[in-house]
Amino acid sequence: MTVDRNGCPAGSNSNGVCPVSHAGQRAGVRGCAFSGFSMEPQGVLYGAPQGPHTVKMLHQREEKAMTDLLMSTTVVTKDIENTDSLNPAPSDVLAMALGAPARRVLARAEEVGPLTGWRDGHLTSNYGFCPPEPNASPMALAMSAGRVWSDLCERMPGIVARGKIRETILQMPLVSGDRNTIPDDALLAATACLGILASVYRYEERNDGREGIAAGANASAFLNATGDAEDEEPETKGIPRSVTIPLRTLCTRVGRPLPHLTQFDLSLNNYKIRDPTDIDPYVARRENMDVRWPVFGDYAEATFLLCMSEVHGVFVHGPELIARCQERVMERDNEGLKRDLVQLKEVIDKLGPAFHKISMNPGSGENFSNPVQWGQRFAKFSAPLSTRVPALSGLALPLFHLMDAFLGRSSYNTFLGVEALHLRTWMPLNCRAFIAAVESHYKVPEYIMSTGDPTLIGLLDGLVESYAGERGFMGTHRYKVYGFLEVVAKTGRVETNGGSGESDSQGRPWEEVHKSLSDSMIERLEPFRNLSTKKPNELRGCFAECRATAKITSRESIDEDPDRTTAKVTIGLKGTGITFAPGDRLAVMPKNNARDVTKMLLALDLEERYSEEVPLDKSPEWMALARHMASVGRPWRQEGKPWLTVRDILTYGHLAPLTREITHSIYLLLRASSSTVLKVLASESWPVHGSIGDLLRIAVTEVSQDTWNKAFDPDDLSWLVKLVPVEVPRTYSIASYSTDPLPKSVDLTITRCEHEVSPLLRVGSDPETKRPGVASGFLNPHPSLEKGGKNDKVLIGVSRPINFHLPDSPSVSIGMFCGGSGIAPFRSFWASRIKHARYGRNILFLGVQSRSKFLYEEELRAHVKNGDLELHTAFSRDNNGLVYDPVMRQLRNKTIEPRYLDATILENARTVCDLIMSTRHGGCGGYIYICGSVSLYETVMTGIRRAIYVSCASSEKLPEALLAAAFAERRMMLDIFMTPRTMLYNEPPISLSELALHTGHREGSRMWIGVHGNVYDVTDFLPTHPGGTLIVAASAGLDASRTFDDLAHTNNPEVSTLLPKYAIGRLAPKPKFHEARLDTCYDDWLRYLSLCVESLTTLSLEVQSILGDPDIWSQGDLLNMGGIRKFYQFQSRFIQSGFGTLFGPRLQELCLKLAFAVSTSGSLDESLPDIMGMTSRAKASKAAVAVQKQIASIGAFVCDGAGAQAFENGILSYAREVVEQDLRFLELIREYVCTGLNAFDLVQQSALAGPHQEKMATNKLSRFLLSVLEKAAQRLQGFYENLASLSLFNPRIERNPARARWQLVARYIRDGSFFVYTGSESPDFSIKPAPSPPHRGRRLRGDRISFTDVVSNVNDMIRLRQREVLGVDPLSPARAGPVPQHRSLALQQMDRASPSSPLVSNSTSSFFETLDADAIHQINTFIHGNLNSIRNLSHVPPSLDTLDELDQLSRQLQHEDDKPAGPPGSGRDTSFARFSMPVLSTTAAPASSIPNNDRRDSIPRLSTHPYPRSRDPSPHPKRYSLAIST
C-alpha cells in the first residue's frame, strides 16, 4: 500500500477523528496507530505548527513584503550625509527574498532525507539530529543481504568474551555494499555495523595478549589471511576484505572520503528505544534506551554512548527553535524572540543533568561507568583506524557546533577549537549546511546587542551561562571529564581521542585536558564575559556569578515571630531576563550594614571622602569587580578604565568577621604597635566575630599618629583595596515558582543569623553584643532597622545545582525533609508539581522549634486540605503539636512532647522505607530531598536508618546499603548549609606521613585527604559523594589542594558548607631548616612519598575493578576473556611502569643526591649502598624472569578461549594471589618512605639548637635515608620470589583435571619444551611452589659501592635514555670517544642482551612515564648545578671524565624534552611515548654473566618448565627437565 506522507494512511480524517481507532486524537503517544505510517513526534513543540501542512504554514510566515521587514517606518535623516546607508544591504534583500537560511536547510533536509535514507544526516524540526524512527534503518538492513553484518554485531559481546574476534570475522562472507544489495533505507545501519567490525578487528589486533610482557614478537597469525594488497590504504590495512570492500563502498555512498567509524554511527545511529510510550520528559533517555550493537556489553560502554545519545534526545527541538530565532531576527520580532530564547534555554538547561548520568559510583546501577574498565576497553576500541581519519570524539557531534555558531563563537585558536573545525569538515552535509546557515546569516547575539533591550540581553546572558558557563553544560562536562580521566590516565590511558592531553609535560594529562576544556570555554565566553584575570573555575562562588541588577520589593513575615527572624524576601526581576526552575538558587552580592561602614569611616577619617575614587591598579580582584559592575546588563566590552569609590569598597568589601589573614595584614601595617591587634591575632579559634571597624577604632587609640598615617596614608588610598578584600556572594534556595516564561519576581526565605561579638572588640559599655550576619542582616534586617525596606538595589544571578531537582516522571513520589528556612526550595517543588497536576505523592517532613515559628502555615494547610500535600511536623520546644490526618486531609492539634524530626520519621517508618527502596526491590523508588543545617541532616539520616531497620531490615547493614543505593541512583539529594566551622589552631597537627597511611583502599580502613592545610576523614562521605567514590579515592592519602582548586571546590558553597563536618585536624606545615639543601631533600623525599601513595591508590583502583566486578571474569557460566585481558594488561603495566617508576629514575635521583650529601660530609672513600644495583639484580633474577613468563602465559590466553577455559580456576586463583602480593609490597614500600619522612622532624628539632647541630643531623639524615632506600630495594627481590612461587597451572583445582593436564602437555609441545620422567613416581603436572623465601632479601657481595660508581650508574641510565629517545646507541663504534671504564650491571646487561629477546614489552602508562621524565630533568638540573663538586668527588681524570659526556647527553635529552608535540594526526609520538624508560625487568641476565649450567633457566624463552628447579643439593634428583629446541 502506498502511504501518503502528508495525509491519513487509512482514509479521510474529518474533524480530527481517527478512522481506525475512532479516537479524538491519534492513538499512542508518538503517533498514528496504523503500523505502516511514519510516527509523529511526541508532544507539541512549544506551540510550533503541527500537521501535514507544517512546512507550508511556516513558509507563510515569510510571505510579507520585504519593505515591511527591511525598511523602517520612521526615518530621521537630518544628520545623515550619506543616505545610501538608509537602504538595506544586498545580502539582506536576497536573504529576505529567499527566507531564513536555517529554515530553508531544515525544510530541504526533511523533504529529501526520507527519500535518500538520510545519507546527508538526520535533520528535522521535530527530531533534531536524531533519527525519526531509530528502528527503520536496522530493519531495512535486516531484510537485505547485509543482515550478516548486523547479526555478527549483535553477537559481538559474546565473541569478545570468548576471544574469537578475528577468526569469527574472517569466516564472514563477502557481501557487496552497492545500491542493489544494500538499499538506501539501510545505508546508515550498514555503515555503522561495518565500521564497528573494522574497529573491533583492529582493537584485538592491538590488544591480543602481546601488548605487554609477551613471549615472542608481536606478530599476528591472521595477517596472511586478510589478503592485503601492497597499495592497501592505512585505514583498512590488515582488515579482512569481507569488511573493507563493502565499508569503502558504503562510506562513499554516505559522503565519507575515507572509510572509518564515526561518533554518529556509535551514538546517534546505534540505540534502540525500550518503551516508545514513555515520553516524559522526552523519549531518548538513558534509562529508556539500549545500545543496539554493543562491543563489550558493559555498563561503561553503554552509559558513555547512550548519554551522548541522550543529550541529542534532549536537543530534539533545538534546531527548530534556533531556526525560529533566526526568523524572529529577520522579522525584527523582539517579543517572539524572547519566547523562543526562553524555550531554547529550557532545552539547554536539561543537557547538564543528562550528561551527569555518567556516574563513577559503583552503586549507581546501569549508570555506573567504571573509568578503569572504560579506559582499557572501550577507549582502546575507539582509537581511529588511522591518523588520517577523525577520532571518535564527543566533539564530533553537531549539538556543540550548532550552539557555538548560534552564540557567535568567532575564536577557534585553542587546541579544541582547531580540533572542532577539523571535525566539522567530516560531519554529514545536512549538519554542516544548517550550522553554516546559522553562523553566517542573521546572527542572534549581534542583533540582541544592537537592540539594547535589557530583557533580551539578560535572556542571552542566561543562555550563554546555561550552555558555556561554569555551572552550565560545559562546566559540568569539564568537571566530569577531570575526575574520569584522572582515574583513566593513572591506569594506563594517555589522552583523549581528540588528542587533548598529549602535550602534558607533568604526568597529569587529566589536568592538561581540563586546561584545554577551560581554554575552549574562555573562547566561547569571551564575547560576553571579561575573563582577563579569571579562569572559568575561578568564577564559581565569586561576584562574577551575579550578572543582573534587581530591587528588593518586599520583606514579609511568614510566621508569628514579632522580630521577623525569618522572612519572605521578594526581589523584582523586571528587565533582567532571569528565568529559574524548581531547585535553583539565587546568588546575592551582600552589602555591609551602615554601622560597620560608619566605624570604618570614623576610624580611617574618610567621612568627607566617601565619594572619592580609589586607585585599583594594585588589586586585580577589585579591578575585576569594577569591570564586572560596569558590564552588568551589557555583555559587551566596556571602553575606558573602570573605577570604584570609597563607598563601593566599604559596601562590597569583606568587613566582618575578622579572618586571620586580615588581622595579620593590619598587624603588619601597624608594625605590631597595637596590643589589641596582637591579642586578636593570638586567638586560638578563627574567624573572630567582629568587624575591621571594631578592631581599627580600638587600635587607633593605641598607635601613634605617625605610625597610623604611615599605615593608612591619607594622600594615597591604594592601601584600602589591600586592607579590605572583596566579599563573596551568598546563595539561597529559590522559594517560588512561576508559570510565566519571564518571571516578574523571585521569593527567598531568609533567616537572620546572629553572632556574639568577641569581648576583645567591645568598647566600654557598648550595648551591641550581637551582630547579624552580613548577608542575612542585609536581606532580612530587624524591622526596627529597616529604612522603608524596599527598592534596595542588589546584584543577583541564578545558579542551577546538578543534584537538586525534581524527578522527570510525574508519577514518582517525593519526600522532603527540612527544618526552619530549609523549607524554601520545597515551596517551589510543591508549587510546580501541583501546578502541573503531578500525581506522585508529595510528602513533607518539617522540623521547627515552636508553633510561633511555623513557616507558611496557612499555605501548607490549604495544600493539605486539597490533598496536594502530606505534612508531618516535629516541634523541638513546643508540646502543641500537629498530626496529619490522611482521611480528613487536615492537620489536627494534639499535645505531644517536644521532639526532633527523627521521631516523626520513625512514626512513619513504612512510608519512609517505601520511598527509599528502589522499584527493583519492591519500593516506590521515590526521590528524597534534605535541606537544612548539618545537624538537621544528621538527625534526618538517623531517623531514616532507624525507620528502615524497624520497617524492613533484617540486619544493621541493610539501611546503609539502601541509602548508598539511593545516593548512587541520584534519588537522594542534599542542600546543606551551615555557618563555617571555627578552626582551632592549638590542635596537634597531622603529619604528611600519617596522612599517607590512610588511603582507605582496604575494607574497613579510613580514607583521609588534605586540602589547604586541613585534613578530612571522608570515609563516611564516600557513599554520598556526587561524583562517585573513585574520584575521591584517586586523591586519598595526599594533599589534594590542587585538585580541589581545579574542580572549583574551594569557592563552591555547596562543598565548603558540608566539608567541615569531616575535618579532623590541621595538616602539619613544612619543616623549616637553615640549609637550603635540606629543603630540597625534603621536597624530593615528599615527591617520592607522593609517588608511592599514588602508585598504591592507582593499584587499588585496578584491583577493585579486577576482583570486585564479577562480570569482568564471567559471562553466564563461561569464562570471559575480558577479565584475562584486563589482568594481563594490569600486571604487565605494574611490573613495567610501576616498578620502573618506583625503582627507576626517581629512585636514581634520590640515591645520587643523598650519596652526594654523604660524600661531601664524610670520607671520600666511604662506601655507599648499591641500591640501583640491587634493583637491577632483582629485575634480572631468575624469579623475575619466571614472573614474566607467567604473565606472558596469561597473555597467551587472551585470544585462546578454549585454552583458558581449561585453566579457569587456576587463572582466577593466580589473579587473586598476585594482586594481593602487589598490594602488600606497595604498602610496605609506603611504610618505609613514611619512616624516612618522619626523620625530617627530628632534624628540625636539631635545627633549633643551631646551624652546627643541624649540619650534623643532616649528615646522619642522609645516611639514614639511604638505609631506608636500601631496605626497600632488598624487598624487591623477595617480592619477585613470592610471585614466582605462585602457580598458574594447577590441574588439580580445575573442573576437568584430565583435560587441564592434556592441555598443559599440548602447550609445552607447542612452545618447544618437552619433559622426561624418571623414577617410579607418578607424574605431577603442577608447578610446585618454591619454599617461601625469607622476608628480608639476601645481601650479596658487592652491595657497597663508591660515589664514583653512583655517578657511573647515573651516566649509564642517561645513556640508555638517549638510546630510546634519540634512537642513538651511545656505545656504537660510530660514536667518538673512549668507552667508560665504570659500567653498571644494568648497562652491561642491556648491552649484552640479545636484540630479539623472547620477552617483549610494549606496555606503557602515561602517568608514570612522565614522572620518569621529570626525574631525569631533576637529575640534569642537579648535575649542572654541582658539576665541579661531583667531578672532584668521583676521582675521574679530566681527560676521561664521564661527567663531560654526561653533561652533553643531558643537554641533548633536555633539548629533546623541550620539543613541542606535533599537531593532531601528524604521527609524532606524544611526550608520554618519548619519555618511556627502558624496562630492565623484561630482560634476563646476559648469558655471558651466568654459569653454563644455569643458562637455560635464566635466559627467557618460550618454554615454561613444569617443575621448579630443585633446591635439594642432592646429585641424584628424581626428575629432570629437558628443553628441546624446535
Side-chain angles (χ1 to χ4, degrees), residues 264 506 549 627 863 1035 1166 1252 1261 1272 1354 1412 1449 1498:
F264 283 83
Q506 299 182 5
T549 302
R627 289 196 181 98
H863 290 317
S1035 300
E1166 182 173 357
H1252 179 68
L1261 174 67
V1354 174
D1412 289 348
L1449 298 181
S1498 300

Side-chain angles (χ1 to χ4, degrees), residues 1337-1396:
R1338 295 179 298 164
R1339 291 185 60 84
L1340 304 175
R1341 190 187 315 168
D1343 280 352
R1344 310 297 293 183
I1345 58 175
S1346 65
F1347 182 70
T1348 303
D1349 297 321
V1350 174
V1351 175
S1352 296
N1353 286 335
V1354 174
N1355 185 19
D1356 294 342
M1357 183 267 295
I1358 295 186
R1359 286 177 181 277
L1360 296 177
R1361 175 166 169 73
Q1362 186 193 38
R1363 177 187 298 176
E1364 179 174 329
V1365 175
L1366 303 180
V1368 176
D1369 185 359
L1371 301 178
S1372 65
R1375 286 184 54 88
V1379 178
Q1381 298 176 357
H1382 301 283
R1383 306 284 309 289
S1384 67
L1385 172 63
L1387 188 59
Q1388 295 174 25
Q1389 292 171 347
M1390 290 298 293
D1391 292 340
R1392 296 171 183 170
S1394 169
S1396 58

Side-chain angles (χ1 to χ4, degrees), residues 124 223 226 263 295 354 363 544 566 595 813 871 982 1037 1071 1086 1144-1145 1174 1198 1351 1494:
T124 59
L223 289 179
T226 61
Q263 196 66 55
V295 176
T566 304
R595 292 186 181 183
S813 298
L871 176 61
T982 299
L1086 184 58
M1174 294 178 187
V1198 168
V1351 175
D1494 289 333

